[in-house]
Amino acid sequence: MSTEMSNPAAKFLSWKSNHQKFSYYDKTTQENVFLEMPVKFLALTRYKTIKGWNQKKEGAIIANEVKSLKEELVVNFYKKGDKQEIARGAWNDIKETVEFWGGRYTESVYAMLPDGELVNLQLSGASLSTWFEFQKNQTHRFFDEFVQVNGFKEGKSGAVTFSYPVFEWTGKMNASQKTLAEAADELIQRYEASYFKNAGTSQRDKVSAAIGMLEDTFEAEVVKQPTPPPSEDKKVYKDYDPDDLPF
């Protein structure tokens, strides 16, 4: 029986290109909740995973979270309760297979909102590219200052127009927020110790956790209208090694 700690994030946020907003899926109401800007958060830690949608087979692509792209990713195709493993290994070894199936490299960023609530931001495509660019040479500012999204920009890839969030710094935490951040960080560390422990956590448990995250973020727009990455993504991925990012 697994003793793995459940994911501490209360909400799983993703950027909805057509709506130019972040949203999360409320399983109780079975509706998407869109967040009004500004969206303000303190980034605590981030892992790497694979997310996507296979249009032809009408199913989701999911994977476990890892700290480094050199670690083993177990990527599954998931549809109506059934899952099929499609790739296993380090990212560079399985990238072509995963992308053929419709999977995309995704940053899984755990963050704290100003009121202390823990959330998870799942960034891929254009939103991930602008997040990479935002972090450049900014290592010293993380863990101390809030990040805010108060607007968006638009881009075009072929005939498809898309939007992506604009990240900006918005000031340091006050004393009460620092207390909340310490508690949030401790919770994240406990989750990390449970999830990434060497013994006792099977890949099956981790895939089950990935399915749980999928169910928390599922919504029809992502399924039917996946947002393509901008053409300049290739340059961003070439210039940045995700394992070298500041947190």
Side-chain angles (χ1 to χ4, degrees), residues 126-193:
S127 62
L128 177 58
S129 294
T130 191
W131 176 246
F132 278 175
E133 188 66 30
F134 171 72
Q135 294 182 91
K136 188 177 181 180
N137 300 321
Q138 300 295 320
T139 307
H140 61 288
R141 304 184 71 169
F142 282 94
F143 311 110
D144 192 36
E145 297 185 50
F146 280 100
V147 177
Q148 181 171 283
V149 176
N150 197 32
F152 65 92
K153 291 184 179 181
E154 292 186 334
K156 195 170 184 179
S157 179
V160 178
T161 300
F162 57 89
S163 70
Y164 55 92
V166 176
F167 299 100
E168 58 186 32
W169 298 105
T170 185
K172 296 186 177 182
M173 294 181 288
N174 58 36
S176 61
Q177 288 169 335
K178 285 184 178 179
T179 300
L180 292 173
E182 289 173 359
D185 186 58
E186 181 180 352
L187 187 58
I188 288 292
Q189 289 184 40
R190 287 171 49 203
Y191 172 67
E192 179 175 305

Side-chain angles (χ1 to χ4, degrees), residues 95 99 104-106 123-133 155-157 162-164 227-242:
K95 180 179 178 181
E99 291 181 343
R104 304 167 76 184
Y105 169 73
T106 301
L123 304 174
S124 62
S127 62
L128 177 58
S129 294
T130 191
W131 176 246
F132 278 175
E133 188 66 30
K156 195 170 184 179
S157 179
F162 57 89
S163 70
Y164 55 92
T227 305
S231 58
E232 57 267 28
D233 271 3
K234 294 182 179 179
K235 180 179 185 301
V236 172
Y237 288 127
K238 180 179 179 181
D239 291 346
Y240 294 97
D241 179 355

Side-chain angles (χ1 to χ4, degrees), residues 8-243:
K11 298 181 177 71
F12 294 84
L13 311 181
S14 58
W15 180 256
K16 299 300 179 280
S17 182
N18 289 349
H19 296 275
Q20 298 90 40
K21 293 180 180 179
F22 280 105
S23 82
Y24 65 92
Y25 183 70
D26 188 322
K27 288 195 295 186
T28 301
T29 62
Q30 297 186 355
E31 294 179 344
N32 297 314
V33 179
F34 291 91
L35 303 185
E36 297 300 325
M37 296 185 186
V39 176
K40 188 175 178 181
F41 62 89
L42 179 74
L44 297 172
T45 192
R46 102 298 184 221
Y47 308 124
K48 311 159 199 310
T49 189
I50 306 299
K51 293 285 167 58
W53 179 259
N54 187 301
Q55 191 73 32
K56 184 177 180 179
K57 295 180 177 293
E58 296 187 340
I61 307 299
I62 57 173
N64 56 310
E65 293 182 320
V66 296
K67 294 181 182 180
S68 167
L69 292 179
K70 297 179 179 64
E71 296 176 16
E72 184 180 67
L73 285 158
V74 181
V75 187
N76 283 258
F77 171 74
Y78 181 80
K79 180 178 180 178
K80 297 180 180 179
D82 295 324
K83 63 179 183 291
Q84 171 191 350
E85 184 176 312
I86 60 174
R88 178 186 291 256
W91 172 242
N92 285 340
D93 297 331
I94 65 173
K95 180 179 178 181
E96 290 187 6
T97 300
V98 169
E99 291 181 343
F100 174 80
W101 274 81
R104 304 167 76 184
Y105 169 73
T106 301
E107 286 276 302
S108 179
V109 180
Y110 288 83
M112 185 193 80
L113 302 185
D115 63 0
E117 184 176 43
L118 267 173
V119 297
N120 175 276
L121 285 80
Q122 299 184 358
L123 304 174
S124 62
S127 62
L128 177 58
S129 294
T130 191
W131 176 246
F132 278 175
E133 188 66 30
F134 171 72
Q135 294 182 91
K136 188 177 181 180
N137 300 321
Q138 300 295 320
T139 307
H140 61 288
R141 304 184 71 169
F142 282 94
F143 311 110
D144 192 36
E145 297 185 50
F146 280 100
V147 177
Q148 181 171 283
V149 176
N150 197 32
F152 65 92
K153 291 184 179 181
E154 292 186 334
K156 195 170 184 179
S157 179
V160 178
T161 300
F162 57 89
S163 70
Y164 55 92
V166 176
F167 299 100
E168 58 186 32
W169 298 105
T170 185
K172 296 186 177 182
M173 294 181 288
N174 58 36
S176 61
Q177 288 169 335
K178 285 184 178 179
T179 300
L180 292 173
E182 289 173 359
D185 186 58
E186 181 180 352
L187 187 58
I188 288 292
Q189 289 184 40
R190 287 171 49 203
Y191 172 67
E192 179 175 305
S194 170
Y195 187 85
F196 293 105
K197 61 188 175 183
N198 292 325
T201 302
S202 68
Q203 291 294 355
R204 186 175 68 176
D205 293 332
K206 291 184 177 180
V207 170
S208 295
I211 291 172
M213 291 177 66
L214 170 70
E215 291 171 346
D216 282 336
T217 56
F218 177 85
E219 60 102 359
E221 181 187 6
V222 170
V223 169
K224 298 301 181 184
Q225 299 177 358
T227 305
S231 58
E232 57 267 28
D233 271 3
K234 294 182 179 179
K235 180 179 185 301
V236 172
Y237 288 127
K238 180 179 179 181
D239 291 346
Y240 294 97
D241 179 355
D243 283 345

